[in-house]
Amino acid sequence: MRAVHVFAICAMATMGTTASAQEIDWKKVDDALGRTAAVSGDVHRYAFPRTDLQVTLDGVTIRPALALGSWAAFKPMHGGAMVMGDLVLLEAEINPVMAKLIENGLEVTAIHNHVLRSSPLPFYMHIGGHGDPVKLATAIRTALAESKTPLTPPAPPAAPPAIDLDTAQLDQIIGAKGQANGGVYQFAVPRRDPISENGMQLTPPGPTGVATAIGFQPTGGGKAAITGDFVLTGEEVNPVIKTLRENGIEVTAVHSHMLTEQPRLIFMHFWANDDAVKLAKGLRAALDKTASAKS
């Protein structure tokens, strides 16, 4: 998700190239992936929402922007580009997609759940690579073709779905400015400490999957379904678990997304459907247990 999600980052694979990072032809990368990127700083992030899936959890139909958004982010580096990503897959899609990734030189760095009890239950495959960005992009699209992930970008809605929440109050409580995306109000809260992978600092943190991701999907009457993941160091894990549970927020997964990041990070996923302001206060209390940056 780093769907919100958010989303997650990965180690590098070994795709050799002589191209300079400064010479990347992003139009060719766009063409290989069949869509244009959202650009933040020097990071080009591509979204593959699973609009084909109808996933329900505790009576809530999950929007793709809340927890069903595959993504791949490309960051220039010496020798071409680093790619990191998170692919949303059904159980039967995991091995066919993995086979194509490995065949084309990409790495798989994690496979796991993010939520519980949903029907169907999606899995999340974290991937990474390094080399010629066009070859990396082609490999990712080839792998996704082994799933039912829509490879044609969805048509934009005539009008964006309304966010029936007091977003100004949510901003104030969380301490960051959120943004509406596909009927979900999303936050990305970075850590104070810099995060690097193979010696490269992962900036900006949101698009590279190393900011705490929080999504609010309105469910009526001031309520919202929330999910996402906290980005934590080891000593922060249990204080955050206790704080979330004390505030009626379920912890649904605790795991790694990467292989060689510094500092070592643990990602904690969560779920609740309740009064949005109440949940925001619980999330803020949990954020206060971490080394999150103050806005």
Side-chain angles (χ1 to χ4, degrees), residues 171-250:
D171 290 349
Q172 182 180 26
I173 295 168
I174 298 297
K177 176 63 179 172
Q179 63 177 13
N181 176 26
V184 176
Y185 199 62
Q186 299 176 331
F187 292 92
V189 183
R191 294 183 58 84
R192 290 194 296 272
D193 43 344
I195 298 166
S196 63
E197 174 78 337
N198 284 1
M200 170 169 285
Q201 189 167 337
L202 296 176
T203 57
T208 53
V210 290
T212 290
I214 298 169
F216 287 77
Q217 178 180 315
T219 56
K223 295 176 65 177
I226 61 166
T227 192
D229 56 354
F230 280 75
V231 182
L232 306 170
T233 54
E235 66 272 12
E236 296 170 343
V237 168
N238 278 286
V240 170
I241 287 177
K242 292 174 183 177
T243 302
L244 290 173
R245 288 174 55 83
E246 287 167 358
N247 285 276
I249 299 171
E250 180 183 18

Side-chain angles (χ1 to χ4, degrees), residues 23-47:
E23 296 172 352
I24 293 173
D25 186 339
W26 290 110
K27 177 64 166 59
K28 289 183 178 179
V29 180
D30 292 352
D31 290 345
L33 289 168
R35 63 204 58 222
T36 57
V39 182
S40 301
D42 65 349
V43 173
H44 289 236
R45 179 168 164 138
Y46 296 85

Side-chain angles (χ1 to χ4, degrees), residues 2 7-13 33 42-46 48 70-77 81-87 106-107 109 125-130 136 140 195-197 200-210 257-258:
R2 230 50 289 272
F7 9 66
I9 75 163
C10 317
M12 302 175 188
L33 289 168
D42 65 349
V43 173
H44 289 236
R45 179 168 164 138
Y46 296 85
F48 296 85
S70 296
W71 59 271
F74 291 74
K75 184 177 177 67
M77 66 175 299
M82 169 196 293
V83 67
M84 54 214 76
D86 186 8
L87 309 182
L106 285 158
E107 283 193 340
T109 62
M125 182 182 292
H126 298 269
I127 64 170
H130 168 230
L136 293 169
I140 290 169
I195 298 166
S196 63
E197 174 78 337
M200 170 169 285
Q201 189 167 337
L202 296 176
T203 57
T208 53
V210 290
H257 287 178
M258 298 169 285

Side-chain angles (χ1 to χ4, degrees), residues 135-180:
K135 290 182 179 179
L136 293 169
T138 301
I140 290 169
R141 181 160 179 153
T142 299
L144 285 174
E146 296 296 313
S147 72
K148 293 185 179 179
T149 301
L151 296 179
T152 301
I163 303 292
D164 185 22
L165 299 170
D166 186 343
T167 56
Q169 189 173 13
L170 296 181
D171 290 349
Q172 182 180 26
I173 295 168
I174 298 297
K177 176 63 179 172
Q179 63 177 13

